Amino acid sequence: MARVYNFSAGPAVLPEEVLREAAAEMLDYKGTGMSVMEMSHRSSAYQTIIDEAERDIRDLMNIPDNYKVLFLQGGAHQQFAMVPMNLMKNKVADYIITGQWAKKAWKEAQLFGTANAVASSEDATFSYIPDCSDLPISDDADYVYICENNTIYGTKFHQLPNTKGKPLVSDVSSCFLSEPVDVTKYGVIYGGVQKNIGPAGVVIVIIREDLITDDCLPGTPTMLKYKTHADNGSMYNTPPAYGIYICGKVFKWLKKQGGLEAMQAYNEKKAKILYNFLDSSTLFKGTVRKEDRSLMNVPFVTGSKELDARFVKEAETAGFVNLKGHRSVGGMRASIYNAMPIEGVEKLVAFMREFEEKNGK
């Protein structure tokens, strides 16, 4: 069967080149006579894999030496607790609520201290990013938290909030490595890799060294301390070894494409094709304020639940899968991550145009 165009929000499309490489190495990784799946994480072969992965992500993002890169488990949801457990020294933090994941993180933080919602776009179904240039940041806040790209709602912070000197913590799960980033503007950047980098099961945390201390909230488990993992090179326990191996291959693929500047240009080109069609369509309509649109996740609707369902069904038959919107918002959503080829977006738009001609208002 031919490969489909997979518009899933995550787990999501991976570069075909990476999948073919992994397939070729499945039974024998570089003469070891075994798969990376079977390999001891304490072996020199695996140490080389994780060391190269870290080196390549540092190169791609220009990560300064005073930041640690941690390959962890538990996904973004575990970070919702791990961040306050490690950083909430004053038991106060400020959260900007721009979608379901930021809201979940905010609610989780309330278990550990005072978590203030200093801005929100819930009043308009999270269809925009609030003005964050002059927020009521708490004097004693330990950090300010954002979800930088909102997978469900298709919004993106194109300008980081003014945190008034407090460390910025950002969940970048769905925009990770899609464009250049100035790491020095953040205290912590983290993301689950299953949207734009690798298979589910790995979360990457990039954290400034001064934020890694033993001074965590009382009762913080050993496994939930950043210091535990920083001190042990992400190998305090068995890491998600195969997932990290695939992430490492994706890092090399990204470097081969020309790095994050090249990926941003490619992603902008792809997104423009889809947004231009939505802006001119008489049937389909984007749901996000134009200046806050994501390059990665593009939600849209027809205005009719029946038509939406018909579109999703017919699209799947035509080889465009996972276009159904998140259950909390309905409609459709095309996730066009780094590995989605431009022809996938072009063909989707051609299909949408055809559907509009048959079903247009």
Side-chain angles (χ1 to χ4, degrees):
M1 183 184 169
R3 276 177 67 78
V4 294
Y5 288 111
N6 179 11
F7 292 93
S8 171
V13 61
L14 285 166
E16 199 167 318
E17 190 181 313
V18 165
L19 296 175
R20 289 186 188 283
E21 265 183 38
E25 293 173 348
M26 180 55 79
L27 296 177
D28 177 12
Y29 175 74
K30 295 193 174 176
T32 59
M34 62 182 132
S35 171
V36 175
M37 277 189 193
E38 308 167 290
M39 188 180 284
S40 166
H41 63 294
R42 302 294 180 198
S43 66
S44 60
Y46 191 75
Q47 189 65 52
T48 301
I49 288 170
I50 196 169
D51 287 348
E52 275 190 25
E54 177 174 345
R55 196 157 55 243
D56 286 338
I57 192 173
R58 282 187 176 277
D59 286 351
L60 281 164
M61 294 179 73
N62 294 315
I63 298 172
D65 290 344
N66 65 323
Y67 283 74
K68 292 280 190 190
V69 176
L70 310 176
F71 295 98
L72 306 179
Q73 298 172 74
H77 277 76
Q78 187 158 288
Q79 293 306 308
F80 298 168
M82 208 163 166
V83 165
M85 281 176 158
N86 284 264
L87 303 190
M88 242 192 197
K89 319 290 186 196
N90 298 323
K91 295 206 172 182
V92 179
D94 290 345
Y95 280 69
I96 299 165
I97 315 295
T98 51
Q100 190 166 308
W101 308 125
K103 194 173 180 181
K104 280 191 171 186
W106 169 61
K107 285 188 170 170
E108 191 76 4
Q110 289 169 24
L111 299 172
F112 304 102
T114 302
N116 303 303
V118 291
S120 172
S121 53
E122 194 166 10
D123 61 326
T125 327
F126 299 120
S127 58
Y128 71 99
I129 298 292
D131 179 3
C132 297
S133 58
D134 187 19
L135 297 170
I137 302 296
S138 313
D139 288 341
D140 53 352
D142 291 299
Y143 59 87
V144 177
Y145 183 102
I146 62 171
C147 179
E148 197 159 323
N149 187 89
N150 297 283
T151 326
I152 295 173
Y153 303 95
T155 58
K156 166 80 164 68
F157 280 82
H158 294 297
Q159 192 167 352
L160 294 176
N162 175 4
T163 65
K164 300 183 179 174
K166 306 297 182 187
L168 178 64
V169 175
S170 181
D171 174 354
V172 297
S173 295
S174 53
C175 60
F176 220 162
L177 301 183
S178 63
E179 60 185 26
V181 171
D182 181 354
V183 175
T184 63
K185 290 183 175 174
Y186 303 81
V188 179
I189 304 175
Y190 77 81
V193 304
Q194 72 276 9
K195 297 173 184 297
N196 212 24
I197 303 174
V202 184
V203 60
I204 297 173
V205 176
I206 299 159
I207 178 168
R208 209 172 62 216
E209 283 180 346
D210 62 289
L211 298 173
I212 304 171
T213 68
D214 260 331
D215 181 23
C216 301
L217 293 185
T220 299
T222 304
M223 274 295 289
L224 295 186
K225 292 179 177 178
Y226 290 128
K227 194 170 191 308
T228 300
H229 302 285
D231 287 352
N232 290 279
S234 298
M235 290 216 263
Y236 175 74
N237 67 325
T238 308
Y242 195 80
I244 294 167
Y245 155 76
I246 298 291
C247 290
K249 287 199 174 297
V250 172
F251 301 154
K252 289 191 185 304
W253 177 82
L254 284 166
K255 289 174 94 169
K256 206 165 147 188
Q257 307 312 304
L260 301 191
E261 287 81 4
M263 280 321 301
Q264 180 178 26
Y266 190 59
N267 289 327
E268 284 172 350
K269 198 173 171 186
K270 283 189 293 187
K272 195 176 178 187
I273 292 166
L274 186 46
Y275 284 126
N276 281 353
F277 171 72
L278 289 172
D279 289 342
S280 64
S281 173
T282 54
L283 177 62
F284 297 100
K285 177 172 136 323
T287 57
V288 173
R289 188 167 73 179
K290 282 187 183 181
E291 57 267 38
D292 298 324
R293 285 170 165 174
S294 165
L295 294 179
M296 298 284 100
N297 312 101
V298 184
F300 55 96
V301 294
T302 63
S304 153
K305 282 185 181 175
E306 293 73 23
L307 262 188
D308 286 355
R310 190 189 309 164
F311 173 79
V312 169
K313 192 177 175 189
E314 289 185 14
E316 186 156 346
T317 304
F320 306 102
V321 304
N322 293 314
L323 281 164
K324 189 176 180 182
H326 191 272
R327 62 186 180 277
S328 65
V329 292
M332 284 74 67
R333 171 183 52 180
S335 293
I336 50 176
Y337 297 125
N338 286 344
M340 172 57 66
I342 201 159
E343 58 267 25
V345 181
E346 288 167 343
K347 286 180 180 176
L348 173 64
V349 165
F351 176 80
M352 290 169 76
R353 194 168 273 120
E354 238 175 75
F355 186 89
E356 180 176 278
E357 283 165 14
K358 284 190 289 184
N359 302 276
K361 296 169 182 175

